[in-house]
Amino acid sequence: MSATTATPADATLANLSGVLPDLEKLYTDIHAHPELSMQEERTSGIAAARLRAAGFDVTTGVGKTGVVGVLKNGDGPVVMLRADMDALPVKEATGLPYASTVTATDRSGKTVPVAHACGHDMHVAWLVGAATLFAKARDEWHGTLMPVFQPAEETAEGSQAMIDDGMLERFPKPDVILGQHVMVGAAGVIGTRVGVVTSAGDSLQIRLFGRGAHGSMPQSSIDPVVMAAATVMRLQTIVSREVAPEDAAVVTIGALQAGTKENVIPDEAIIKLNVRTFDDQVRTRVLDAIQRIVKAEASASGSPRPPEVTTLDRYRMVKNDPAATKRVVDAFRHYFSAEHVEEWPPTTASEDFGSFGQEWHVPAVFWFVGGTDPTVYAKARSEGRLGDLPTNHNPRFAPVIHPTLEAGVKALVVAAQAWLAA
């Protein structure tokens, strides 16, 4: 995949073949031992141990389970590389020999299955690999490398937890922050773009209040099930009737919970929904519309109390700095062959990576690495069946190890070396 002309990253990556078998073992081990958000004790311990072994100064427990490594190698820029560590409450269905059979207790006290259904295990292996290679090749670069292993991306709290724990004051201010994510796409292909990369994400819980009654006496009730059903249907009109066609928004109802028995009208109902937007004004318009509709439907039903709307989590948009992105993409195109570097459209998935750059007020660049078997991806694409491929958060999602593993390590090294080249 390397270009025919020499690149600044070549010497640093010369040791990749030697560390790759160990990285594969690391990846499969982490995949088989996933941990929920803010419970990443084992994973963070492994990351910290690998950094210490490579010669980094290591700080653990940042934002509870976050890990920050610092390797100073002379004068020069500070480059932060970020990987997230947490897994999801999903039962894995990949059938892989290293598939997770882990269960854990979530915050509500419920026992849930746990799986790396979003590829954060690959992210950890990538960053360990890149940090190890830079430590082995100190004559090939100068500056400061700061790998960051972040908890709780899946709950939109990990980056902010690290920031709230004094990360901006305790560690060197980066000149650039770099990150990447494995996604559906031909393994080894790098997807980049300038500007918005991932959407803003807002998750809300709506609690609607009614008056319970016997199922045979609906006239004595204020039925929260009907109230919730009407609310759900009306919420679906926001995108189709209140968002301009040239804008983009997603409003998804992920849960509607009410009652316990068929002949009992309950006192209340719960709606949980998720909103994705690419524009701050559109986001405000959609969130305001949700509030208006929820309150109006409750009032129309004669609800005894106003509804309660609670924010469950919030992701900021991830926006790539134009100048820094050009620098990264130029380095990618110099190192990788042309067919392995593509411009990808923004995705409605969300990420909390953007908080670091926004809080530190430094440029950040985020890109994607394909993780689907190239033959499988090409066949699905030719047959118009890309939608059939297991996406992130699907129980069957698992990147093909090769060439995904080496491609991600190479991408981190090539991008960082664009600032750290000797």
Side-chain angles (χ1 to χ4, degrees):
M1 259 170 33
S2 181
T4 55
T5 57
T7 75
D10 287 341
T12 305
L13 287 167
N15 292 311
L16 178 57
S17 60
V19 302
L20 203 56
D22 179 62
L23 290 179
E24 181 173 345
K25 290 179 183 177
L26 173 66
Y27 166 70
T28 56
D29 176 64
I30 295 174
H31 185 93
H33 298 89
E35 296 171 298
L36 293 174
S37 304
M38 288 300 185
Q39 298 181 22
E40 308 95 339
E41 300 290 348
R42 181 180 186 273
T43 307
S44 63
I46 291 171
R50 293 302 187 100
L51 291 181
R52 288 193 187 99
F56 286 77
D57 293 328
V58 179
T59 305
T60 60
V62 184
K64 190 175 182 182
T65 55
V67 176
V68 179
V70 177
L71 183 61
K72 296 180 179 179
N73 191 36
D75 295 332
V78 177
V79 175
M80 173 178 152
L81 303 179
R82 174 268 201 178
D84 39 13
M85 301 183 291
D86 53 330
L88 288 158
V90 170
K91 183 174 178 60
E92 183 166 349
T94 62
L96 292 167
Y98 51 89
S100 168
T101 57
V102 168
T103 60
T105 303
D106 68 13
R107 296 178 192 183
S108 70
K110 181 181 177 182
T111 300
V112 296
V114 188
H116 268 297
C118 199
H120 297 183
D121 47 351
M122 184 64 73
H123 302 173
V124 172
W126 281 341
L127 185 49
V128 167
T132 302
L133 291 176
F134 273 112
K136 288 177 177 290
R138 300 189 198 191
D139 291 341
E140 307 303 327
W141 61 280
H142 57 74
T144 298
L145 188 70
M146 187 165 70
V148 171
F149 294 86
Q150 178 208 303
E153 184 279 329
E154 297 293 357
T155 55
E157 61 185 321
S159 61
Q160 194 60 49
M162 297 186 79
I163 292 165
D164 291 343
D165 198 17
M167 183 172 175
L168 276 61
E169 295 77 36
R170 296 166 64 185
F171 301 102
K173 182 177 180 178
D175 290 275
V176 69
I177 299 173
L178 306 173
Q180 57 185 9
H181 203 299
V182 64
M183 295 283 278
V184 172
V189 170
I190 312 298
T192 68
R193 68 172 289 104
V194 173
V196 176
V197 180
T198 65
S199 68
D202 294 272
S203 292
L204 307 175
Q205 175 178 286
I206 299 165
R207 188 178 178 193
L208 296 167
F209 301 97
R211 183 172 64 233
H214 196 289
S216 66
M217 305 172 188
Q219 72 278 6
S220 298
S221 75
I222 297 174
D223 193 336
V225 177
V226 175
M227 192 189 312
T231 301
V232 169
M233 294 303 295
R234 185 60 185 267
L235 289 172
Q236 300 308 302
T237 68
I238 294 174
V239 174
S240 65
R241 289 296 175 269
E242 300 193 39
V243 176
E246 63 269 19
D247 293 324
V250 176
V251 177
T252 295
I253 311 300
L256 199 168
Q257 302 161 344
T260 58
K261 202 170 186 298
E262 77 286 348
N263 66 344
V264 177
I265 296 173
D267 279 326
E268 62 182 59
I270 298 289
I271 297 170
K272 296 180 182 180
L273 60 85
N274 183 252
V275 177
R276 306 291 171 122
T277 52
F278 292 108
D279 179 270
D280 288 333
Q281 291 185 347
V282 173
R283 174 180 175 270
T284 299
R285 190 180 310 133
V286 171
L287 294 178
D288 287 349
I290 290 170
Q291 292 276 356
R292 185 190 74 243
I293 288 170
V294 168
K295 292 175 182 177
E297 290 292 348
S299 177
S301 298
S303 175
R305 290 174 55 187
E308 292 179 358
V309 181
T310 306
T311 298
L312 300 177
D313 60 54
R314 179 193 173 192
Y315 292 88
R316 305 183 189 187
M317 279 182 285
V318 173
K319 297 181 180 179
N320 279 348
D321 177 82
T325 302
K326 183 180 185 305
R327 194 165 177 173
V328 168
V329 172
D330 286 347
F332 284 163
R333 295 195 185 283
H334 193 193
Y335 181 84
F336 295 100
S337 56
E339 66 270 18
H340 286 95
V341 183
E342 300 177 351
E343 182 173 344
W344 285 11
T347 175
T348 49
S350 296
E351 254 280 355
D352 68 349
F353 168 83
S355 295
F356 292 115
Q358 291 177 41
E359 294 288 337
W360 240 317
H361 302 291
V362 299
V365 186
F366 194 75
W367 62 89
F368 300 111
V369 179
T372 312
D373 183 297
T375 302
V376 172
Y377 185 81
K379 186 173 186 293
R381 188 172 189 172
S382 68
E383 296 174 356
R385 295 188 301 100
L386 287 178
D388 294 343
L389 298 175
T391 62
N392 305 64
H393 291 216
N394 184 300
R396 295 183 294 117
F397 178 81
V400 59
I401 295 178
H402 302 291
T404 311
L405 182 56
E406 49 265 49
V409 174
K410 289 177 179 179
L412 281 178
V413 170
V414 169
Q417 196 94 38
W419 275 264
L420 298 172

